[in-house]
Structure formats: structure tokens, C-alpha cells
Amino acid sequence: MRIVRGPRAAWAYVLGAPGTYVWLGILLVTTVALHLMPAEFEEHFLRHRSTNIHELSRSPVRVLVTSAMWIESGHWLPYAFLYTVFHASAERWLGTARWLAVCATAHVLASLISESMLLAAIRKGVAPAAAVDTLDIGVSYALAGVIAVLGYRIAVPWRFGYVSVVLVVFALPLAAGPTFTDVGHFVAVLLGLACYPLVRGRGKAWNPKETLAALRG
């Protein structure tokens, strides 16, 4: 019975987060396609789907959507783990619509804010003009926003420790020669924290102390 219960529990977990696993399935398909693509064509292909300044000025809606369907690194398994831990947890807690709202807010606004900052740097001569075509593709902004919003799933005072760790992890790159993507990740975290109105009324926060007590009892 225990052997059967494991797969059933796993399947129930997947069914409780349909958006997460549909997205993960799309990423699997696009990652395989990327590996099958000729190396000399790959960069041009991804750049056309990137949220860089050039593509945003031409077709903002298209690239904001397509950029979230590819993984630049080509490594799918780490994202399968991260999606299961963070995205699936958030979707099961918030519901698909609210989870998707957090993802969209973090991905879209962090992309636009970071690229606007890059454009300002180009105009000031701090960044080269060629930076308008800088490759900026992937799912990390949405992931950063969801990681942050999950802080509200944890009861006080444990919440403060979790949020502090998240802020430090994403702030550290800003202290050592930050790139526009580093800025985008930190902005996405702040946007995730700003999504508090979406989490109100979503049930009792998880208290690690109660879980430990239950395990000991």
C-alpha cells in the first residue's frame, strides 16, 4: 500500500499545480529543440525571442511571452526541481490564477524595468550601443518573484528569516559588478513581496514549529 501511495501522492501534487507542470512541459520541449538546433543558428534564434531593447521596441507582447518559454542554459532538470519546490508550492497555495498573476507581474515588470535601466545606461554612454541586442531570455524573473511571495506562506517569526535570506541571496550580485539581469532579479523579488494583496485569505500560514512538534509526537 505504501508503494502505491507514493506515486498517487506525487500525481496528486502534480494535478494540484497544472499551470506549473504545463509550463515545465513546454520548457522540456523547447529545451530539446534547442539541443537539436545547429549551434550557429541558436544565438540568432534566441535573440529574436529575447526581451532585449531592440525586440521590445518592435514587438513587446510577443517577446515577453516567448522569452518565458525558453531556457538559455539548455539545462532542464534544475528547473524541474525548482519549479516543483517553488512554483508548484505557490500554485497549490494561491490557486492557478493568483499564481499566474505573480509570475506575470514579476516577469513583465522586472523585464521592462531592467531593460529601461539598460537603455538609460546606453544613452549616458555607460553601456555600449550594441547592448540593445543583449540576450535576455528565460524564466528566472518569474521564479524570483514566486520565491519571494512564498515568504507569506510561512508564519511569523520564521517568515522574517526566509525573506531575509532571499533578499541577501539576490542582493549579493548587486554588490559585485551588477548586470542588468542582476537588477532584474532583485526587482522581481521586490515585486513578489509587493504581491501581498494576492495572498490574503489563502489559509493559515505554515508554522515550522508545529510541524516539528507533530513529527516528534
Side-chain angles (χ1 to χ4, degrees):
M1 287 295 294
R2 290 182 180 179
I3 296 176
V4 175
R5 193 179 302 165
R8 284 180 179 174
W11 182 240
Y13 188 83
V14 170
L15 292 178
T20 294
Y21 290 101
V22 167
W23 192 2
L24 198 54
I26 293 171
L27 290 176
L28 176 60
V29 172
T30 57
T31 299
V32 171
L34 205 59
H35 282 295
L36 296 175
M37 196 175 296
E40 62 274 12
F41 181 62
E42 181 180 318
E43 184 176 350
H44 172 76
F45 180 86
L46 289 178
R47 199 175 300 281
H48 186 59
R49 287 151 182 81
S50 167
T51 51
N52 56 53
I53 296 169
H54 178 69
E55 293 296 336
L56 280 172
S57 66
R58 295 177 55 192
S59 185
V61 175
R62 176 182 62 80
V63 294
L64 284 167
V65 173
T66 57
S67 66
M69 301 300 162
W70 298 85
I71 302 172
E72 183 184 352
S73 67
H75 300 298
W76 181 81
L77 281 177
Y79 283 95
F81 173 78
L82 292 171
Y83 268 51
T84 297
V85 172
F86 295 108
H87 275 302
S89 297
E91 185 179 2
R92 288 171 61 85
W93 169 45
L94 295 174
T96 300
R98 295 189 187 204
W99 161 78
L100 191 57
V102 175
C103 292
T105 298
H107 173 66
V108 172
L109 293 184
S111 296
L112 295 178
I113 291 171
S114 60
E115 292 295 339
S116 295
M117 294 178 68
L118 179 59
L119 179 59
I122 293 172
R123 288 175 174 172
K124 291 178 181 178
V126 178
V132 296
D133 287 318
T134 301
L135 190 63
D136 185 18
I137 196 166
V139 297
S140 56
Y141 292 163
L143 181 59
V146 165
I147 290 173
V149 83
L150 276 171
Y152 298 119
R153 185 73 176 96
I154 306 170
V156 174
W158 310 97
R159 177 184 303 165
F160 301 133
Y162 176 88
V163 172
S164 296
V165 170
V166 170
L167 288 171
V168 168
V169 168
F170 283 95
L172 280 176
L174 300 179
T179 65
F180 75 95
T181 53
D182 295 328
V183 172
H185 287 134
F186 191 73
V187 168
V189 166
L190 297 181
L191 289 166
L193 294 175
C195 288
Y196 175 71
L198 292 173
V199 312
R200 285 183 293 189
R202 301 309 295 177
K204 182 182 177 182
W206 171 61
N207 192 327
K209 186 177 180 179
E210 293 178 359
T211 301
L212 287 173
L215 289 174
R216 289 172 182 171

